[in-house]
Each structure stands twice: as structure tokens, then as C-alpha cells.
Amino acid sequence: MLENRVGHIFNRHVVRVTPDTPVAEAIRAMADMQSTSIVICGARGPVGILTARDLPRLYEHHTDRSAPIQQVMTSPVTTCLQDISLLDALDIMLDKGIRHIPVVNSRDELEGMISESDIMDSLGSADLMHSQTIIQIMKSEVITISSQASFDEVMEIFLAERIGSLIVTRDSLPVGIITERDLPRLISSQTESSTTAEKIMTAPVITISVHATAQDALLKMHATHIHHLLVTDTANRIKGIITRSCFFHDLGRYLIRKLVMAERQVRVLSQLQQEQQLPAIENFYLQATENAPYAMLVYKLGTIIYANKAAMQMFAYKRRCDLIGRLITDVLRIDAFSSELDKLLTHENDISNEIIRLAKDDGSAWIAEISSAVIVYEGEPATLLTLKDITEQKALEDRLNHAQKMEAIGTLAGGIAHDFNNMLAGITGNIFLLKRQADDHPGMRKKFSDIENLCFKAAELVAQMLTFSRKTEIDTKPIAMVPFVKETLKLARVAIPENIHLQSVVSPEQLTVRGNTTQLHQVMINLLNNARDALAATPHPLIRVELQPFTPDERFQRKFNHMNLAPAYVHLSITDNGSGIAAADLNKIFEPFFTTKSEGKGTGLGLAMVYGAIQSHQGLIDVESSQDTGSTFHIYLPQLQATASEPMLADHSQIVEGHGEWILLVDDDSRVLGATRDVIESMGYHVITAENGEMAIARFIAHIDQIRLIISDVVMPVMGGIESVTQIQKIKPVPALFTTGYGLNQSCMHDGSLLPGEVITKPVHPSTLSQHIRELLDGIRLSL
């Protein structure tokens, strides 16, 4: 089995295209061939690969489908020769976390493709797992979606969860399935974003009992030519899901167990049978163990007596003799036994599995999944340890947990944003009017200004929650980072005490990113303020800000191998020599509401906002810190080719007065409507009000010759703002300004019918509102 060559089983029917093939044509070829991958071949062989798991990313980013596929493919591509063994191919897939390997000849020409399924079928995996139960193999977490969900929502889940299948439910019961094999067909046929899941799913979903064996599941997959089985109980309730990948990733463990079982069988063979069969069996065991994809150590009395190739690589030993003879506790660098590790190393159980945090020679931590089995080695009891480095897997799980927390906060923020911002809009409007009436009372005017500032700070908190949970859209444009950073440092200098040395090292190169100036400004100010606070007790306080170009190196690619990396980045780092961050807190600092500051000093939203803002810019953020030494926050933003960047908008604070123009104001909240009407009238305009879209149309028709501008809330009962303004503009073209208390992408604007400059979020400062009104009335296009 394991010694079979890739050339004996690989699939020669592979979809291949050239680098200049349009994306749409490549996806259509994938759909026509019913394939989950496509290989991009240049003059010298494969140069990239695109799989069905990449398609949600292209869909989410609205990729231009007429663009050449070389702009979106994964490159470089991992290939293999035909003469490598299946075990080597298995090792490559598990090590790199991939499911397809293009097979090439000695001239690097594409010959075909080998996949997980090819290896599983060749190894006779159904026989290997005869005794395994479904529960031992299946994934208990099943991602589901309502049958009424849209195709947009389906693709969002495929992108966020990186899954191969999505179960469609109705009344909590499974009714169908959508797999990544369906995605090329759905995208190639230009499925409408609003199409419901029940119209594109495959039904019914094929299920298997939770009491079945893993062998039953694999045979059922072979018989029905499917890759996903839903595991259910007698009441058709979902208990888990089992896929080809479930078998594939656990194959190494099953092979090890089979070796242990075979070892025990050898002990009961007769002397004659041993003489006839033992040499061949031992040779097979030795080859299988030596070439296993996981590190394997055999020890007795605490001393290592055998190590395979993978173990030598894992612990960085070039010669086997340097590893054999060492104490197992020294190699694993364990300072004290944990109860779990004690069970592993003292043979408490015949076979046991644990996940344990270990240390490398340089002191850095890594996480290992360790299996322990009691065996007989050279006639004496010994322990076989199998180790798998799952550090990256755990990091991915942590990131997923963090994303789920962000989503929960985002849902909360989205729920309260509308009502809360409407209240603030009413308060700030009335405060503006009171300030105007208090011109002769400076003390009272200052108190009103303080209240007004607190209201807008409260609005910023909601905006931050919507930002880091990605519940609001941002307007981006090319930004020249060198002048941007220098200007931000000038502004930040005011808030940093003079005893702190603020040092900057800025590249002389022109560095451009696509971003939102407001968000990036908030990111820098938050990090600089945190650095300032960390320096409170430091004798010689220093903050260093550095901006440089950065090209991902091998270490960077290894650290962020789960991300779709850009070819070049702008690297912004902010370093302080302050109190630093405790190791126990490093994994929590980006969580919402987590703070180490004393009560009243921090909300716990600053770093969470920073994290969300960098995520929304398709950037990366990393932190290095040690207690009492200091911290460095690294921000990597995808670099644009040199282009003309747009300047930041000036901060106008003056009210722009009107000239008696008529404005139709529409809002379903009577308090907001009244306050906003009074504010606009105080600016010199004539205001007509309406409480919903239908009333707005009637008021407009009645005053069609007078009304010059419409200001309308987006979400209202009876008829919303977008629909009513659309009908009004069919009657007579008139400019419109929309207001919303929600995040922008929650305000029914997914169809792109509104320009970004036509929408403002509540509460809006009267001076800003006056500028918007004047620009629309004067026919000046907004560019926010």
C-alpha cells in the first residue's frame, strides 16, 4: 500500500489553463469538468493553482472576471514527481495543509493530479477503519444555514469558515447540502446574489446513523459518489458530519494503531510462524514507522531508544545518534510533569492522546498532539510516542474564537446602533439650538459644548463596535502613507507629554495603500495613546514610529500561511520601552472589552477597533511584547503601485448658512424629525417634514416647484427612504442626502444604487450637515 507510487494512481484528467486565461473562462472550465481544482501552466510547467475553496474569496472581493487568472491564483504551487511514494504524497498534503498536488515529469511538464481521495482509495482505507465508529472520525461541529438565506450569505459563510460543505435546514432539520464542488457551477452560471439556498442546494442530503462504523460511511461514500455524509440520530437531528478529509487527516493515527495491534499479534505467533514471517513483518514495520508523516519516539525507563525521520526533523537533530540515548523529558523540554503528561510517560493507559504545550530550544512555545501506546520492543515493554505539531491549527482555532466574539459584539452593536444614534441625533440637535441661544452666556455655552462632545464620543463608541465587527462599510482611496504618518504624528504630539521622546523613522520611498484615512488615523492614535500610558513609570520613556516597505519573507509566509498574502506591504510599527504586556494577556488584548487599565482609564475597545480596522483593510497585525521591557505593534497594509493619492478632507467647523431654499426632511422618529427641522431652519432654510416615504412623496408633489433637496432616513415603516426618493426622482430630478442610524451595510444599500457621498450616519454635527446641504444644493459632488 504505502510503497505504491503516485504514478500508478494519479488522475490524468486535470483542468489546465494558461496564465492569461480570463477568470470567468477558468471557472467555467472547472464547472464543465466538474472539478474542484484547476492548474495554471506556463512555458515551464505549473505556475499556480486555483481550487473551489478559493472561489468564495473571489466572489466576496468582487473580482473582475475578465482579469487574467494569474492575478488571483495561488502561487507558487506545490508539485510532485510520478515516482514518489503514496506515503510521501500523504506527508506533503498533511504538512502543507493542501488537498491537491499537480504531478509533473522530469521536465516539469504537467502530467495529472493526485488528491486525498486517490490516496484513500489506493490504501484500502475502508479495511483500515473497520473497527472505528462514526463518532471517532466525524466532526461534531456542523455549519448550517437557513433554506431562505441568500446566495450572498452562503458565499460569506464559505469564505469565513473555510469549509467544504454547508447544510441547509428548515425548522432546524436538514433538507439539503451545498458543497464546494457546487461553487464553480453556481459562479459560472452567474447565480443572482438574492437566490435562496433552497434553490441551489442538492436535496435530499444523504445521511448515516450515528451508530454506524467509519467503514460503513466510507463504503457509502464510494457507492453514492459523494464526499460528505451528514450524521444524524433516529429523530433526524444533526449530530455531526463526516467527509473524505476526516478519514484522510486521521489516517496516520490509524496506521500507527494498526502497527501496535500487529505487534501484539506477533507475540502470540508460534515459534515456527515467527521464524517464517517475522523478518518480513519487521521490515514492513520499520519502513512504515521510519517514513510515517508524524514524529515517532520509542523509549523505556525514560531513555529514547528509537526515533524516526520525522522526529529528527521536529527536534532539529541531523544525526539519529544525537537523539537516541537522551532522556525523553530533556528532549520534550518539560520542567514539571502535568497530570496528563504523567499518564502518557508512565504507561498508565495502553493507548492515550493528549494536547500539551511544549518548549523549543529557543524558548518559544509550541503545541503538540501526543499519542502514547504501550508496545514490546526487543522483548521488553516500551512506550511509543507519536507527536504532531498543531501550533498553527490551535492558532487558527483561537482566531476563529476571536472572530466569533467579534461577530457577537457586532450583532449587539448593530441592534442598538439605530435607536441609540437616533437618540443622540435628537440630543445633539437640541444642544446646537441651545448653544445658539446661549451666545451671551459663555459658561452655559461651554457646558452645552461639553454635553455635545460627550454625545459624539458615545456615537464614536458605537461606530468603533460596528467597525471592528465589520458591520459597516468603509470608503477607501489611495493614501500616501509617508505624509499621512508625518501629519498624524504632528497631531499626536499634542497628547504626548514632553518628557517622552517621540522618534520617527520614515522611508524616503513613496508608499501608497488603499484605505480609509479616518480609520487609519484612529489606529495610529489608539496605539500611540496606549504606548504613552505604558510609559507612565519608565525612567527614560521612548516611542519609536517606523514606516518602511516590506516584502514577505519565508518566516512571514510561514507565520501567516493561512492568509492570502499580498506581494508587498507597507510596514508600520509603533514601539515603546514601557511596562509591556504579560504573556498570559497577549492572546486576549484584541478581545472587545478586555483591558489591563484601571477602572475609568480604558473601555477595552481601542485595540479591538484597531484589529477590526486592519482586518477591513485586508491587512495584518502582530505584536511583540515582554513585561517590563516594552511592546511593538506591527501593522502590515497591502502596498499599491505608485499612484496619485487623494488628500485628506479639511476639517470645516463653521456653519454654512442657507439662502431660504426649501428642503424636504423625512424621518420616522418624531423627536429626531423635530430637532433636525429646527437645526436646519436655524441655518436659513425652509423645511417641510414627512414621517415616512409615502408621506414624503405626497409632500413633494404638493410643493414640487419649491423643494430643492431631500434629506431622508433610510429605514422607515410604510415605505423606506431609498424607495421613496427613487420614485420622487422619476417625477423630477432632485438631489438627496440619506441619513441612517445603522452601519452603512445594514441600511439596505447592498445593490450599490447609492454613492458613498450621499449617505451620512447619525448623529451628524450641524456644521458637517450644513456643508453637505450646501454642496448638494450647489451641485458639488461629495468625495468622502
Side-chain angles (χ1 to χ4, degrees), residues 544 571-576 622-626 630-634:
R544 177 185 174 90
H571 178 201
L572 172 67
S573 63
I574 298 179
T575 303
D576 67 76
D622 194 19
V623 60
E624 297 177 280
S625 184
S626 57
S631 305
T632 299
F633 283 83
H634 299 277

PDB file of all heavy atoms in Angstrom, residues 544 571-576 622-626 630-634:
ATOM      1  N   ARG A 544       8.869  54.912  19.427  1.00  0.00           N
ATOM      2  CA  ARG A 544       9.504  54.913  18.105  1.00  0.00           C
ATOM      3  C   ARG A 544       8.473  54.473  17.058  1.00  0.00           C
ATOM      4  O   ARG A 544       7.875  53.401  17.189  1.00  0.00           O
ATOM      5  CB  ARG A 544      10.709  53.971  18.087  1.00  0.00           C
ATOM      6  CG  ARG A 544      11.395  53.841  16.718  1.00  0.00           C
ATOM      7  CD  ARG A 544      12.497  52.786  16.796  1.00  0.00           C
ATOM      8  NE  ARG A 544      13.101  52.514  15.505  1.00  0.00           N
ATOM      9  CZ  ARG A 544      14.153  53.141  15.001  1.00  0.00           C
ATOM     10  NH1 ARG A 544      14.734  54.100  15.713  1.00  0.00           N
ATOM     11  NH2 ARG A 544      14.651  52.813  13.823  1.00  0.00           N
ATOM     12  N   HIS A 571       4.874  48.531   6.005  1.00  0.00           N
ATOM     13  CA  HIS A 571       5.033  48.062   7.384  1.00  0.00           C
ATOM     14  C   HIS A 571       5.120  49.271   8.310  1.00  0.00           C
ATOM     15  O   HIS A 571       6.075  50.053   8.260  1.00  0.00           O
ATOM     16  CB  HIS A 571       6.308  47.208   7.487  1.00  0.00           C
ATOM     17  CG  HIS A 571       6.589  46.723   8.880  1.00  0.00           C
ATOM     18  ND1 HIS A 571       7.836  46.315   9.302  1.00  0.00           N
ATOM     19  CD2 HIS A 571       5.773  46.577   9.956  1.00  0.00           C
ATOM     20  CE1 HIS A 571       7.781  45.943  10.559  1.00  0.00           C
ATOM     21  NE2 HIS A 571       6.533  46.098  10.985  1.00  0.00           N
ATOM     22  N   LEU A 572       4.111  49.433   9.166  1.00  0.00           N
ATOM     23  CA  LEU A 572       4.084  50.489  10.178  1.00  0.00           C
ATOM     24  C   LEU A 572       4.260  49.839  11.545  1.00  0.00           C
ATOM     25  O   LEU A 572       3.496  48.940  11.901  1.00  0.00           O
ATOM     26  CB  LEU A 572       2.753  51.243  10.119  1.00  0.00           C
ATOM     27  CG  LEU A 572       2.484  52.259  11.240  1.00  0.00           C
ATOM     28  CD1 LEU A 572       3.454  53.426  11.149  1.00  0.00           C
ATOM     29  CD2 LEU A 572       1.039  52.756  11.172  1.00  0.00           C
ATOM     30  N   SER A 573       5.275  50.266  12.292  1.00  0.00           N
ATOM     31  CA  SER A 573       5.498  49.701  13.634  1.00  0.00           C
ATOM     32  C   SER A 573       5.548  50.831  14.653  1.00  0.00           C
ATOM     33  O   SER A 573       6.078  51.912  14.382  1.00  0.00           O
ATOM     34  CB  SER A 573       6.787  48.883  13.679  1.00  0.00           C
ATOM     35  OG  SER A 573       7.912  49.701  13.430  1.00  0.00           O
ATOM     36  N   ILE A 574       4.967  50.576  15.813  1.00  0.00           N
ATOM     37  CA  ILE A 574       4.973  51.531  16.930  1.00  0.00           C
ATOM     38  C   ILE A 574       5.526  50.805  18.148  1.00  0.00           C
ATOM     39  O   ILE A 574       4.948  49.816  18.611  1.00  0.00           O
ATOM     40  CB  ILE A 574       3.565  52.085  17.201  1.00  0.00           C
ATOM     41  CG1 ILE A 574       3.060  52.856  15.969  1.00  0.00           C
ATOM     42  CG2 ILE A 574       3.553  52.970  18.440  1.00  0.00           C
ATOM     43  CD1 ILE A 574       1.666  53.425  16.103  1.00  0.00           C
ATOM     44  N   THR A 575       6.668  51.281  18.643  1.00  0.00           N
ATOM     45  CA  THR A 575       7.405  50.610  19.715  1.00  0.00           C
ATOM     46  C   THR A 575       7.514  51.533  20.925  1.00  0.00           C
ATOM     47  O   THR A 575       7.697  52.748  20.773  1.00  0.00           O
ATOM     48  CB  THR A 575       8.822  50.226  19.240  1.00  0.00           C
ATOM     49  OG1 THR A 575       8.712  49.404  18.083  1.00  0.00           O
ATOM     50  CG2 THR A 575       9.586  49.474  20.323  1.00  0.00           C
ATOM     51  N   ASP A 576       7.375  50.956  22.119  1.00  0.00           N
ATOM     52  CA  ASP A 576       7.638  51.706  23.349  1.00  0.00           C
ATOM     53  C   ASP A 576       8.506  50.865  24.270  1.00  0.00           C
ATOM     54  O   ASP A 576       8.586  49.646  24.133  1.00  0.00           O
ATOM     55  CB  ASP A 576       6.321  52.080  24.043  1.00  0.00           C
ATOM     56  CG  ASP A 576       5.572  50.872  24.588  1.00  0.00           C
ATOM     57  OD1 ASP A 576       5.986  50.344  25.641  1.00  0.00           O
ATOM     58  OD2 ASP A 576       4.588  50.443  23.941  1.00  0.00           O
ATOM     59  N   ASP A 622       0.424  42.282  14.202  1.00  0.00           N
ATOM     60  CA  ASP A 622       1.178  41.367  15.051  1.00  0.00           C
ATOM     61  C   ASP A 622       1.743  42.178  16.214  1.00  0.00           C
ATOM     62  O   ASP A 622       1.925  43.400  16.100  1.00  0.00           O
ATOM     63  CB  ASP A 622       2.306  40.724  14.238  1.00  0.00           C
ATOM     64  CG  ASP A 622       2.911  39.523  14.961  1.00  0.00           C
ATOM     65  OD1 ASP A 622       2.256  38.990  15.874  1.00  0.00           O
ATOM     66  OD2 ASP A 622       4.041  39.129  14.624  1.00  0.00           O
ATOM     67  N   VAL A 623       2.005  41.524  17.318  1.00  0.00           N
ATOM     68  CA  VAL A 623       2.529  42.225  18.487  1.00  0.00           C
ATOM     69  C   VAL A 623       3.652  41.416  19.115  1.00  0.00           C
ATOM     70  O   VAL A 623       3.586  40.187  19.188  1.00  0.00           O
ATOM     71  CB  VAL A 623       1.405  42.505  19.519  1.00  0.00           C
ATOM     72  CG1 VAL A 623       0.763  41.213  20.002  1.00  0.00           C
ATOM     73  CG2 VAL A 623       1.934  43.300  20.705  1.00  0.00           C
ATOM     74  N   GLU A 624       4.703  42.116  19.528  1.00  0.00           N
ATOM     75  CA  GLU A 624       5.797  41.528  20.297  1.00  0.00           C
ATOM     76  C   GLU A 624       5.883  42.288  21.608  1.00  0.00           C
ATOM     77  O   GLU A 624       5.914  43.523  21.602  1.00  0.00           O
ATOM     78  CB  GLU A 624       7.125  41.651  19.543  1.00  0.00           C
ATOM     79  CG  GLU A 624       7.182  40.914  18.218  1.00  0.00           C
ATOM     80  CD  GLU A 624       8.494  41.147  17.501  1.00  0.00           C
ATOM     81  OE1 GLU A 624       8.632  42.211  16.867  1.00  0.00           O
ATOM     82  OE2 GLU A 624       9.382  40.289  17.604  1.00  0.00           O
ATOM     83  N   SER A 625       5.919  41.581  22.709  1.00  0.00           N
ATOM     84  CA  SER A 625       5.961  42.272  23.991  1.00  0.00           C
ATOM     85  C   SER A 625       6.485  41.354  25.080  1.00  0.00           C
ATOM     86  O   SER A 625       6.319  40.137  25.016  1.00  0.00           O
ATOM     87  CB  SER A 625       4.555  42.762  24.376  1.00  0.00           C
ATOM     88  OG  SER A 625       4.595  43.516  25.574  1.00  0.00           O
ATOM     89  N   SER A 626       7.141  41.943  26.034  1.00  0.00           N
ATOM     90  CA  SER A 626       7.534  41.227  27.246  1.00  0.00           C
ATOM     91  C   SER A 626       7.400  42.200  28.403  1.00  0.00           C
ATOM     92  O   SER A 626       7.651  43.412  28.256  1.00  0.00           O
ATOM     93  CB  SER A 626       8.970  40.699  27.148  1.00  0.00           C
ATOM     94  OG  SER A 626       9.870  41.756  26.895  1.00  0.00           O
ATOM     95  N   GLY A 630       8.784  46.349  27.193  1.00  0.00           N
ATOM     96  CA  GLY A 630       8.145  47.171  26.182  1.00  0.00           C
ATOM     97  C   GLY A 630       7.377  46.348  25.172  1.00  0.00           C
ATOM     98  O   GLY A 630       7.338  45.124  25.244  1.00  0.00           O
ATOM     99  N   SER A 631       6.769  47.052  24.211  1.00  0.00           N
ATOM    100  CA  SER A 631       5.925  46.391  23.210  1.00  0.00           C
ATOM    101  C   SER A 631       6.174  47.003  21.841  1.00  0.00           C
ATOM    102  O   SER A 631       6.535  48.182  21.720  1.00  0.00           O
ATOM    103  CB  SER A 631       4.435  46.541  23.559  1.00  0.00           C
ATOM    104  OG  SER A 631       4.167  46.079  24.854  1.00  0.00           O
ATOM    105  N   THR A 632       5.976  46.182  20.818  1.00  0.00           N
ATOM    106  CA  THR A 632       5.999  46.658  19.435  1.00  0.00           C
ATOM    107  C   THR A 632       4.770  46.112  18.721  1.00  0.00           C
ATOM    108  O   THR A 632       4.550  44.905  18.702  1.00  0.00           O
ATOM    109  CB  THR A 632       7.258  46.202  18.691  1.00  0.00           C
ATOM    110  OG1 THR A 632       8.419  46.721  19.342  1.00  0.00           O
ATOM    111  CG2 THR A 632       7.226  46.697  17.235  1.00  0.00           C
ATOM    112  N   PHE A 633       3.976  47.005  18.166  1.00  0.00           N
ATOM    113  CA  PHE A 633       2.836  46.607  17.349  1.00  0.00           C
ATOM    114  C   PHE A 633       3.232  46.769  15.879  1.00  0.00           C
ATOM    115  O   PHE A 633       3.662  47.848  15.455  1.00  0.00           O
ATOM    116  CB  PHE A 633       1.608  47.466  17.663  1.00  0.00           C
ATOM    117  CG  PHE A 633       0.923  47.078  18.941  1.00  0.00           C
ATOM    118  CD1 PHE A 633       1.383  47.543  20.161  1.00  0.00           C
ATOM    119  CD2 PHE A 633      -0.173  46.229  18.931  1.00  0.00           C
ATOM    120  CE1 PHE A 633       0.768  47.173  21.345  1.00  0.00           C
ATOM    121  CE2 PHE A 633      -0.805  45.854  20.106  1.00  0.00           C
ATOM    122  CZ  PHE A 633      -0.323  46.314  21.315  1.00  0.00           C
ATOM    123  N   HIS A 634       3.106  45.672  15.132  1.00  0.00           N
ATOM    124  CA  HIS A 634       3.441  45.665  13.707  1.00  0.00           C
ATOM    125  C   HIS A 634       2.151  45.659  12.897  1.00  0.00           C
ATOM    126  O   HIS A 634       1.293  44.795  13.094  1.00  0.00           O
ATOM    127  CB  HIS A 634       4.259  44.425  13.344  1.00  0.00           C
ATOM    128  CG  HIS A 634       5.570  44.320  14.068  1.00  0.00           C
ATOM    129  ND1 HIS A 634       6.709  44.972  13.653  1.00  0.00           N
ATOM    130  CD2 HIS A 634       5.921  43.650  15.203  1.00  0.00           C
ATOM    131  CE1 HIS A 634       7.706  44.696  14.473  1.00  0.00           C
ATOM    132  NE2 HIS A 634       7.250  43.907  15.430  1.00  0.00           N
TER     133      HIS A 634
END
